[in-house]
Short mmCIF file of all heavy atoms in Angstrom, two decimals:
data_model
loop_
_atom_site.label_atom_id
_atom_site.label_comp_id
_atom_site.label_asym_id
_atom_site.label_seq_id
_atom_site.Cartn_x
_atom_site.Cartn_y
_atom_site.Cartn_z
N MET T 15 -9.07 -6.94 6.55
CA MET T 15 -9.40 -5.66 5.97
C MET T 15 -9.82 -5.90 4.53
O MET T 15 -9.06 -6.44 3.74
CB MET T 15 -8.18 -4.75 6.03
CG MET T 15 -8.35 -3.46 5.27
SD MET T 15 -6.82 -2.51 5.33
CE MET T 15 -7.53 -0.92 5.52
N THR T 16 -11.01 -5.53 4.19
CA THR T 16 -11.49 -5.71 2.84
C THR T 16 -11.81 -4.36 2.24
O THR T 16 -12.45 -3.54 2.87
CB THR T 16 -12.75 -6.59 2.81
OG1 THR T 16 -12.42 -7.85 3.40
CG2 THR T 16 -13.25 -6.81 1.41
N ALA T 17 -11.34 -4.15 1.03
CA ALA T 17 -11.61 -2.89 0.34
C ALA T 17 -12.34 -3.19 -0.95
O ALA T 17 -12.02 -4.13 -1.66
CB ALA T 17 -10.31 -2.16 0.06
N ASP T 18 -13.31 -2.38 -1.26
CA ASP T 18 -14.06 -2.52 -2.49
C ASP T 18 -13.24 -1.94 -3.63
O ASP T 18 -12.92 -0.76 -3.64
CB ASP T 18 -15.40 -1.79 -2.36
CG ASP T 18 -16.21 -1.85 -3.64
OD1 ASP T 18 -15.96 -2.72 -4.48
OD2 ASP T 18 -17.11 -1.00 -3.79
N ARG T 19 -12.89 -2.76 -4.58
CA ARG T 19 -12.09 -2.30 -5.71
C ARG T 19 -12.96 -1.68 -6.79
O ARG T 19 -12.44 -1.07 -7.70
CB ARG T 19 -11.28 -3.45 -6.28
CG ARG T 19 -10.23 -3.91 -5.33
CD ARG T 19 -9.38 -5.00 -5.94
NE ARG T 19 -8.89 -5.81 -4.84
CZ ARG T 19 -8.94 -7.10 -4.79
NH1 ARG T 19 -9.44 -7.79 -5.77
NH2 ARG T 19 -8.48 -7.74 -3.76
N GLY T 20 -14.25 -1.84 -6.72
CA GLY T 20 -15.13 -1.28 -7.74
C GLY T 20 -14.74 -1.76 -9.13
O GLY T 20 -14.41 -2.91 -9.33
N ASP T 21 -14.80 -0.84 -10.09
CA ASP T 21 -14.44 -1.18 -11.47
C ASP T 21 -12.95 -0.98 -11.74
O ASP T 21 -12.49 -1.24 -12.84
CB ASP T 21 -15.25 -0.32 -12.44
CG ASP T 21 -16.73 -0.64 -12.37
OD1 ASP T 21 -17.09 -1.79 -12.11
OD2 ASP T 21 -17.52 0.29 -12.59
N ASP T 22 -12.21 -0.51 -10.78
CA ASP T 22 -10.80 -0.23 -10.96
C ASP T 22 -10.00 -1.53 -10.90
O ASP T 22 -9.98 -2.19 -9.88
CB ASP T 22 -10.33 0.74 -9.86
CG ASP T 22 -8.89 1.19 -10.07
OD1 ASP T 22 -8.26 0.81 -11.06
OD2 ASP T 22 -8.41 1.92 -9.20
N PRO T 23 -9.34 -1.90 -12.00
CA PRO T 23 -8.57 -3.15 -12.00
C PRO T 23 -7.25 -3.02 -11.25
O PRO T 23 -6.57 -4.00 -11.03
CB PRO T 23 -8.33 -3.41 -13.48
CG PRO T 23 -8.30 -2.04 -14.09
CD PRO T 23 -9.31 -1.23 -13.30
N HIS T 24 -6.89 -1.80 -10.88
CA HIS T 24 -5.62 -1.58 -10.19
C HIS T 24 -5.82 -1.71 -8.69
O HIS T 24 -6.93 -1.81 -8.20
CB HIS T 24 -5.06 -0.21 -10.56
CG HIS T 24 -4.75 -0.11 -12.02
ND1 HIS T 24 -3.67 -0.73 -12.60
CD2 HIS T 24 -5.41 0.51 -13.01
CE1 HIS T 24 -3.67 -0.49 -13.88
NE2 HIS T 24 -4.71 0.25 -14.17
N VAL T 25 -4.72 -1.70 -7.96
CA VAL T 25 -4.77 -2.00 -6.52
C VAL T 25 -4.40 -0.80 -5.65
O VAL T 25 -4.07 -0.97 -4.48
CB VAL T 25 -3.86 -3.20 -6.20
CG1 VAL T 25 -4.37 -4.48 -6.85
CG2 VAL T 25 -2.41 -2.92 -6.59
N HIS T 26 -4.48 0.41 -6.21
CA HIS T 26 -4.08 1.60 -5.46
C HIS T 26 -4.73 1.69 -4.09
O HIS T 26 -4.08 2.03 -3.11
CB HIS T 26 -4.39 2.87 -6.25
CG HIS T 26 -3.55 3.01 -7.48
ND1 HIS T 26 -3.91 3.81 -8.52
CD2 HIS T 26 -2.38 2.44 -7.84
CE1 HIS T 26 -3.01 3.74 -9.46
NE2 HIS T 26 -2.07 2.90 -9.07
N ARG T 27 -5.99 1.38 -4.00
CA ARG T 27 -6.71 1.49 -2.72
C ARG T 27 -6.25 0.48 -1.68
O ARG T 27 -6.50 0.65 -0.49
CB ARG T 27 -8.21 1.33 -2.94
CG ARG T 27 -8.82 2.44 -3.73
CD ARG T 27 -10.30 2.26 -3.79
NE ARG T 27 -10.84 3.01 -4.91
CZ ARG T 27 -11.98 2.77 -5.48
NH1 ARG T 27 -12.73 1.77 -5.06
NH2 ARG T 27 -12.41 3.50 -6.49
N LEU T 28 -5.61 -0.56 -2.12
CA LEU T 28 -5.17 -1.61 -1.20
C LEU T 28 -3.71 -1.49 -0.79
O LEU T 28 -3.24 -2.22 0.08
CB LEU T 28 -5.38 -2.99 -1.86
CG LEU T 28 -6.81 -3.36 -2.20
CD1 LEU T 28 -6.85 -4.67 -2.96
CD2 LEU T 28 -7.64 -3.45 -0.94
N LEU T 29 -2.99 -0.54 -1.37
CA LEU T 29 -1.55 -0.48 -1.14
C LEU T 29 -1.19 -0.16 0.31
O LEU T 29 -0.24 -0.72 0.85
CB LEU T 29 -0.89 0.53 -2.08
CG LEU T 29 -0.86 0.09 -3.54
CD1 LEU T 29 -0.25 1.20 -4.40
CD2 LEU T 29 -0.10 -1.20 -3.72
N GLY T 30 -1.92 0.74 0.95
CA GLY T 30 -1.64 1.05 2.35
C GLY T 30 -1.76 -0.18 3.23
O GLY T 30 -0.89 -0.48 4.04
N GLY T 31 -2.85 -0.91 3.06
CA GLY T 31 -3.05 -2.14 3.82
C GLY T 31 -2.01 -3.20 3.48
O GLY T 31 -1.55 -3.93 4.35
N TYR T 32 -1.61 -3.24 2.22
CA TYR T 32 -0.59 -4.21 1.80
C TYR T 32 0.75 -3.91 2.46
O TYR T 32 1.40 -4.81 3.00
CB TYR T 32 -0.47 -4.19 0.27
CG TYR T 32 0.51 -5.18 -0.29
CD1 TYR T 32 0.21 -6.54 -0.33
CD2 TYR T 32 1.74 -4.76 -0.78
CE1 TYR T 32 1.11 -7.46 -0.85
CE2 TYR T 32 2.64 -5.67 -1.30
CZ TYR T 32 2.32 -7.02 -1.33
OH TYR T 32 3.21 -7.93 -1.84
N VAL T 33 1.15 -2.65 2.44
CA VAL T 33 2.42 -2.25 3.04
C VAL T 33 2.42 -2.52 4.54
O VAL T 33 3.43 -2.94 5.11
CB VAL T 33 2.71 -0.76 2.75
CG1 VAL T 33 3.86 -0.23 3.60
CG2 VAL T 33 3.02 -0.55 1.28
N LEU T 34 1.28 -2.32 5.19
CA LEU T 34 1.18 -2.53 6.63
C LEU T 34 0.85 -3.98 6.99
O LEU T 34 0.66 -4.30 8.16
CB LEU T 34 0.13 -1.59 7.22
CG LEU T 34 0.45 -0.11 7.10
CD1 LEU T 34 -0.75 0.72 7.55
CD2 LEU T 34 1.70 0.25 7.88
N ASP T 35 0.77 -4.85 5.99
CA ASP T 35 0.44 -6.26 6.19
C ASP T 35 -0.91 -6.42 6.91
O ASP T 35 -1.05 -7.21 7.83
CB ASP T 35 1.55 -6.97 6.96
CG ASP T 35 1.47 -8.48 6.85
OD1 ASP T 35 0.91 -8.98 5.86
OD2 ASP T 35 1.94 -9.17 7.77
N ALA T 36 -1.88 -5.62 6.45
CA ALA T 36 -3.19 -5.62 7.09
C ALA T 36 -4.30 -6.18 6.19
O ALA T 36 -5.47 -6.04 6.51
CB ALA T 36 -3.56 -4.18 7.51
N LEU T 37 -3.93 -6.81 5.09
CA LEU T 37 -4.92 -7.38 4.18
C LEU T 37 -5.17 -8.85 4.52
O LEU T 37 -4.33 -9.52 5.12
CB LEU T 37 -4.43 -7.28 2.73
CG LEU T 37 -4.20 -5.89 2.17
CD1 LEU T 37 -3.71 -5.99 0.74
CD2 LEU T 37 -5.44 -5.03 2.25
N GLU T 38 -6.31 -9.32 4.10
CA GLU T 38 -6.60 -10.75 4.18
C GLU T 38 -5.62 -11.48 3.25
O GLU T 38 -5.16 -10.91 2.26
CB GLU T 38 -8.04 -11.03 3.74
CG GLU T 38 -9.09 -10.38 4.62
CD GLU T 38 -9.13 -10.95 6.02
OE1 GLU T 38 -8.85 -12.16 6.17
OE2 GLU T 38 -9.40 -10.19 6.96
N PRO T 39 -5.30 -12.73 3.55
CA PRO T 39 -4.32 -13.46 2.72
C PRO T 39 -4.66 -13.48 1.23
O PRO T 39 -3.77 -13.30 0.40
CB PRO T 39 -4.34 -14.87 3.30
CG PRO T 39 -4.74 -14.67 4.73
CD PRO T 39 -5.72 -13.52 4.72
N GLY T 40 -5.91 -13.65 0.88
CA GLY T 40 -6.29 -13.67 -0.53
C GLY T 40 -6.07 -12.33 -1.20
O GLY T 40 -5.63 -12.25 -2.35
N GLU T 41 -6.39 -11.25 -0.47
CA GLU T 41 -6.16 -9.91 -1.01
C GLU T 41 -4.68 -9.63 -1.17
O GLU T 41 -4.24 -9.08 -2.18
CB GLU T 41 -6.77 -8.85 -0.10
CG GLU T 41 -8.27 -8.77 -0.14
CD GLU T 41 -8.81 -7.71 0.79
OE1 GLU T 41 -8.35 -7.63 1.94
OE2 GLU T 41 -9.69 -6.95 0.35
N SER T 42 -3.90 -10.02 -0.17
CA SER T 42 -2.47 -9.78 -0.21
C SER T 42 -1.84 -10.49 -1.40
O SER T 42 -1.01 -9.93 -2.11
CB SER T 42 -1.83 -10.26 1.09
OG SER T 42 -0.47 -9.96 1.12
N GLY T 43 -2.24 -11.71 -1.64
CA GLY T 43 -1.73 -12.46 -2.78
C GLY T 43 -2.11 -11.82 -4.10
O GLY T 43 -1.30 -11.74 -5.03
N ALA T 44 -3.35 -11.34 -4.20
CA ALA T 44 -3.81 -10.69 -5.42
C ALA T 44 -3.02 -9.40 -5.68
O ALA T 44 -2.65 -9.11 -6.82
CB ALA T 44 -5.31 -10.39 -5.33
N VAL T 45 -2.76 -8.64 -4.62
CA VAL T 45 -1.98 -7.41 -4.77
C VAL T 45 -0.56 -7.75 -5.21
O VAL T 45 -0.03 -7.13 -6.14
CB VAL T 45 -1.96 -6.59 -3.45
CG1 VAL T 45 -0.98 -5.44 -3.54
CG2 VAL T 45 -3.36 -6.07 -3.13
N ALA T 46 0.05 -8.74 -4.59
CA ALA T 46 1.42 -9.13 -4.95
C ALA T 46 1.49 -9.54 -6.42
O ALA T 46 2.42 -9.13 -7.14
CB ALA T 46 1.90 -10.27 -4.05
N ARG T 47 0.53 -10.32 -6.88
CA ARG T 47 0.52 -10.74 -8.29
C ARG T 47 0.33 -9.55 -9.21
O ARG T 47 0.98 -9.45 -10.26
CB ARG T 47 -0.56 -11.80 -8.52
CG ARG T 47 -0.21 -13.15 -7.93
CD ARG T 47 -1.22 -14.21 -8.31
NE ARG T 47 -2.55 -13.94 -7.81
CZ ARG T 47 -2.97 -14.21 -6.57
NH1 ARG T 47 -2.15 -14.76 -5.70
NH2 ARG T 47 -4.21 -13.94 -6.20
N HIS T 48 -0.55 -8.64 -8.82
CA HIS T 48 -0.81 -7.46 -9.66
C HIS T 48 0.45 -6.59 -9.75
O HIS T 48 0.79 -6.08 -10.82
CB HIS T 48 -1.98 -6.66 -9.08
CG HIS T 48 -2.34 -5.47 -9.92
ND1 HIS T 48 -3.16 -5.57 -11.03
CD2 HIS T 48 -1.98 -4.18 -9.83
CE1 HIS T 48 -3.29 -4.38 -11.57
NE2 HIS T 48 -2.57 -3.51 -10.86
N LEU T 49 1.15 -6.42 -8.63
CA LEU T 49 2.34 -5.58 -8.63
C LEU T 49 3.44 -6.14 -9.53
O LEU T 49 4.25 -5.38 -10.05
CB LEU T 49 2.87 -5.42 -7.20
CG LEU T 49 2.00 -4.61 -6.26
CD1 LEU T 49 2.58 -4.63 -4.85
CD2 LEU T 49 1.81 -3.18 -6.75
N GLN T 50 3.45 -7.44 -9.74
CA GLN T 50 4.46 -8.05 -10.60
C GLN T 50 4.23 -7.71 -12.07
O GLN T 50 5.17 -7.74 -12.86
CB GLN T 50 4.47 -9.56 -10.42
CG GLN T 50 5.00 -9.99 -9.08
CD GLN T 50 4.91 -11.49 -8.88
OE1 GLN T 50 4.20 -12.20 -9.59
NE2 GLN T 50 5.63 -11.98 -7.89
N ARG T 51 3.01 -7.36 -12.43
CA ARG T 51 2.73 -7.13 -13.85
C ARG T 51 2.28 -5.71 -14.18
O ARG T 51 2.07 -5.40 -15.35
CB ARG T 51 1.69 -8.14 -14.34
CG ARG T 51 0.33 -8.01 -13.73
CD ARG T 51 -0.64 -9.07 -14.28
NE ARG T 51 -1.97 -8.83 -13.80
CZ ARG T 51 -2.46 -9.25 -12.65
NH1 ARG T 51 -1.69 -9.93 -11.81
NH2 ARG T 51 -3.69 -8.98 -12.29
N CYS T 52 2.13 -4.85 -13.18
CA CYS T 52 1.64 -3.49 -13.43
C CYS T 52 2.65 -2.46 -12.94
O CYS T 52 2.82 -2.27 -11.74
CB CYS T 52 0.29 -3.28 -12.72
SG CYS T 52 -0.40 -1.63 -12.98
N GLU T 53 3.32 -1.81 -13.88
CA GLU T 53 4.35 -0.83 -13.53
C GLU T 53 3.77 0.35 -12.76
O GLU T 53 4.42 0.86 -11.84
CB GLU T 53 5.06 -0.35 -14.78
CG GLU T 53 5.97 -1.39 -15.40
CD GLU T 53 6.72 -0.86 -16.60
OE1 GLU T 53 6.99 0.36 -16.66
OE2 GLU T 53 7.04 -1.67 -17.48
N ALA T 54 2.58 0.81 -13.12
CA ALA T 54 1.98 1.96 -12.45
C ALA T 54 1.71 1.67 -10.98
O ALA T 54 2.01 2.47 -10.10
CB ALA T 54 0.69 2.38 -13.16
N CYS T 55 1.15 0.51 -10.70
CA CYS T 55 0.86 0.14 -9.31
C CYS T 55 2.15 -0.16 -8.55
O CYS T 55 2.25 0.15 -7.36
CB CYS T 55 -0.10 -1.03 -9.25
SG CYS T 55 -1.79 -0.57 -9.72
N ALA T 56 3.14 -0.74 -9.22
CA ALA T 56 4.42 -1.01 -8.56
C ALA T 56 5.09 0.31 -8.16
O ALA T 56 5.67 0.41 -7.07
CB ALA T 56 5.33 -1.82 -9.47
N ALA T 57 5.00 1.32 -9.01
CA ALA T 57 5.56 2.63 -8.68
C ALA T 57 4.81 3.26 -7.51
O ALA T 57 5.41 3.83 -6.59
CB ALA T 57 5.52 3.55 -9.90
N ALA T 58 3.49 3.14 -7.52
CA ALA T 58 2.68 3.67 -6.41
C ALA T 58 3.00 2.93 -5.12
O ALA T 58 3.07 3.54 -4.04
CB ALA T 58 1.19 3.55 -6.74
N TYR T 59 3.22 1.63 -5.21
CA TYR T 59 3.61 0.84 -4.04
C TYR T 59 4.90 1.37 -3.43
O TYR T 59 5.02 1.51 -2.21
CB TYR T 59 3.76 -0.64 -4.41
CG TYR T 59 4.52 -1.42 -3.38
CD1 TYR T 59 3.91 -1.82 -2.20
CD2 TYR T 59 5.85 -1.74 -3.57
CE1 TYR T 59 4.61 -2.53 -1.24
CE2 TYR T 59 6.56 -2.44 -2.62
CZ TYR T 59 5.93 -2.84 -1.45
OH TYR T 59 6.64 -3.52 -0.50
N MET T 60 5.88 1.66 -4.27
CA MET T 60 7.16 2.17 -3.78
C MET T 60 6.97 3.49 -3.03
O MET T 60 7.59 3.72 -1.99
CB MET T 60 8.15 2.35 -4.93
CG MET T 60 8.57 1.03 -5.57
SD MET T 60 9.30 -0.14 -4.41
CE MET T 60 10.80 0.71 -4.00
N GLU T 61 6.10 4.35 -3.53
CA GLU T 61 5.83 5.63 -2.87
C GLU T 61 5.17 5.41 -1.50
O GLU T 61 5.54 6.05 -0.52
CB GLU T 61 4.95 6.51 -3.74
CG GLU T 61 5.66 7.01 -4.98
CD GLU T 61 4.75 7.83 -5.88
OE1 GLU T 61 3.64 8.19 -5.46
OE2 GLU T 61 5.17 8.12 -7.01
N VAL T 62 4.20 4.52 -1.46
CA VAL T 62 3.52 4.24 -0.19
C VAL T 62 4.48 3.61 0.81
O VAL T 62 4.52 3.99 1.98
CB VAL T 62 2.28 3.33 -0.41
CG1 VAL T 62 1.68 2.88 0.91
CG2 VAL T 62 1.24 4.06 -1.25
N ALA T 63 5.28 2.66 0.35
CA ALA T 63 6.24 2.00 1.24
C ALA T 63 7.25 3.00 1.78
O ALA T 63 7.62 2.95 2.96
CB ALA T 63 6.94 0.86 0.49
N GLU T 64 7.70 3.92 0.93
CA GLU T 64 8.65 4.93 1.37
C GLU T 64 8.02 5.86 2.41
O GLU T 64 8.64 6.19 3.42
CB GLU T 64 9.13 5.75 0.18
CG GLU T 64 10.16 6.80 0.55
CD GLU T 64 10.66 7.58 -0.66
OE1 GLU T 64 10.82 6.99 -1.74
OE2 GLU T 64 10.89 8.79 -0.50
N ALA T 65 6.77 6.25 2.18
CA ALA T 65 6.09 7.13 3.13
C ALA T 65 5.94 6.45 4.49
O ALA T 65 6.16 7.07 5.53
CB ALA T 65 4.72 7.53 2.58
N VAL T 66 5.59 5.19 4.49
CA VAL T 66 5.44 4.45 5.74
C VAL T 66 6.79 4.37 6.46
O VAL T 66 6.87 4.55 7.67
CB VAL T 66 4.86 3.05 5.49
CG1 VAL T 66 4.93 2.17 6.73
CG2 VAL T 66 3.41 3.16 5.02
N SER T 67 7.86 4.14 5.71
CA SER T 67 9.20 4.09 6.31
C SER T 67 9.57 5.42 6.93
O SER T 67 10.16 5.48 8.01
CB SER T 67 10.24 3.71 5.26
OG SER T 67 10.00 2.41 4.79
N LEU T 68 9.24 6.51 6.25
CA LEU T 68 9.56 7.84 6.78
C LEU T 68 8.74 8.15 8.03
O LEU T 68 9.25 8.75 8.98
CB LEU T 68 9.33 8.90 5.72
CG LEU T 68 10.31 8.86 4.53
CD1 LEU T 68 9.88 9.86 3.46
CD2 LEU T 68 11.72 9.13 4.99
N LEU T 69 7.49 7.73 8.05
CA LEU T 69 6.65 7.96 9.23
C LEU T 69 7.21 7.23 10.45
O LEU T 69 7.10 7.72 11.57
CB LEU T 69 5.21 7.50 8.96
CG LEU T 69 4.41 8.39 8.03
CD1 LEU T 69 3.08 7.73 7.70
CD2 LEU T 69 4.19 9.76 8.63
N ALA T 70 7.82 6.11 10.23
CA ALA T 70 8.39 5.33 11.34
C ALA T 70 9.55 6.07 12.00
O ALA T 70 9.89 5.79 13.15
CB ALA T 70 8.84 3.97 10.84
N LEU T 71 10.14 7.03 11.31
CA LEU T 71 11.25 7.79 11.86
C LEU T 71 10.80 8.91 12.80
O LEU T 71 11.62 9.46 13.54
CB LEU T 71 12.10 8.39 10.73
CG LEU T 71 12.75 7.39 9.78
CD1 LEU T 71 13.45 8.14 8.65
CD2 LEU T 71 13.73 6.50 10.52
N LEU T 72 9.52 9.25 12.75
CA LEU T 72 9.01 10.33 13.58
C LEU T 72 8.81 9.86 15.03
O LEU T 72 8.51 8.71 15.28
CB LEU T 72 7.66 10.81 13.05
CG LEU T 72 7.67 11.43 11.65
CD1 LEU T 72 6.25 11.75 11.22
CD2 LEU T 72 8.54 12.66 11.60
N ASP T 73 8.97 10.81 15.94
CA ASP T 73 8.62 10.50 17.33
C ASP T 73 7.49 11.42 17.76
O ASP T 73 7.02 12.26 16.99
CB ASP T 73 9.84 10.61 18.26
CG ASP T 73 10.45 12.00 18.28
OD1 ASP T 73 9.77 12.98 17.97
OD2 ASP T 73 11.64 12.09 18.62
N VAL T 74 7.03 11.28 18.97
CA VAL T 74 5.88 12.03 19.46
C VAL T 74 6.11 13.53 19.35
O VAL T 74 5.22 14.28 18.95
CB VAL T 74 5.54 11.62 20.90
CG1 VAL T 74 4.46 12.51 21.48
CG2 VAL T 74 5.13 10.17 20.96
N ASP T 75 7.30 14.00 19.68
CA ASP T 75 7.59 15.42 19.62
C ASP T 75 7.47 15.96 18.19
O ASP T 75 6.99 17.08 17.99
CB ASP T 75 9.00 15.71 20.15
CG ASP T 75 9.11 15.46 21.64
OD1 ASP T 75 8.06 15.58 22.35
OD2 ASP T 75 10.21 15.13 22.11
N ASP T 76 7.87 15.18 17.22
CA ASP T 76 7.74 15.60 15.81
C ASP T 76 6.27 15.79 15.46
O ASP T 76 5.91 16.70 14.72
CB ASP T 76 8.34 14.56 14.87
CG ASP T 76 9.85 14.43 15.01
OD1 ASP T 76 10.50 15.46 15.29
OD2 ASP T 76 10.36 13.31 14.85
N LEU T 77 5.43 14.93 15.96
CA LEU T 77 4.00 14.99 15.64
C LEU T 77 3.29 16.13 16.32
O LEU T 77 2.27 16.61 15.85
CB LEU T 77 3.34 13.66 16.00
CG LEU T 77 3.87 12.44 15.24
CD1 LEU T 77 3.23 11.18 15.81
CD2 LEU T 77 3.62 12.55 13.76
N LEU T 78 3.84 16.61 17.42
CA LEU T 78 3.20 17.69 18.17
C LEU T 78 3.61 19.07 17.67
O LEU T 78 3.03 20.07 18.08
CB LEU T 78 3.54 17.56 19.67
CG LEU T 78 2.98 16.31 20.34
CD1 LEU T 78 3.48 16.24 21.77
CD2 LEU T 78 1.47 16.30 20.28
N GLU T 79 4.60 19.14 16.80
CA GLU T 79 5.04 20.44 16.28
C GLU T 79 4.06 21.02 15.30
O GLU T 79 3.34 20.44 14.63
CB GLU T 79 6.40 20.30 15.59
CG GLU T 79 7.50 20.04 16.57
CD GLU T 79 8.85 19.93 15.89
OE1 GLU T 79 8.96 20.12 14.67
OE2 GLU T 79 9.80 19.65 16.60
#
C-alpha cells in the first residue's frame, strides 16, 4: 500500500495502514521512526489505534442497526 505524502512531512495519511499492518516495509519503518519524534502524529496514532480496537468489538448485528 503506497500513499502519496505530498508536501506534508507528517504521517497522518499512513496511520490507518500502519495500524492495520498494511504498509510496505519501508513505509512502515518510516512511520515508526516519525512517530518516535513527532508528538502530534503519535497522538493521532493512538486515536486511530483505539478506533480500530473498538471496531473489532462490533459484530454483524451492531453494524446492521
Side-chain angles (χ1 to χ4, degrees):
M15 171 183 220
T16 301
D18 178 20
R19 292 183 208 131
D21 294 328
D22 186 3
H24 298 286
V25 295
H26 293 160
R27 293 185 200 158
L28 298 174
L29 290 177
Y32 182 74
V33 168
L34 297 172
D35 197 25
L37 298 179
E38 297 293 327
E41 286 180 315
S42 184
V45 171
R47 287 187 297 278
H48 183 83
L49 291 175
Q50 290 176 344
R51 66 180 187 275
C52 180
E53 289 183 29
C55 288
Y59 164 77
M60 293 303 293
E61 291 177 11
V62 172
E64 182 178 324
V66 169
S67 295
L68 291 173
L69 287 172
L71 298 175
L72 297 175
D73 60 23
V74 173
D75 292 333
D76 294 326
L77 299 173
L78 295 175
E79 290 181 3

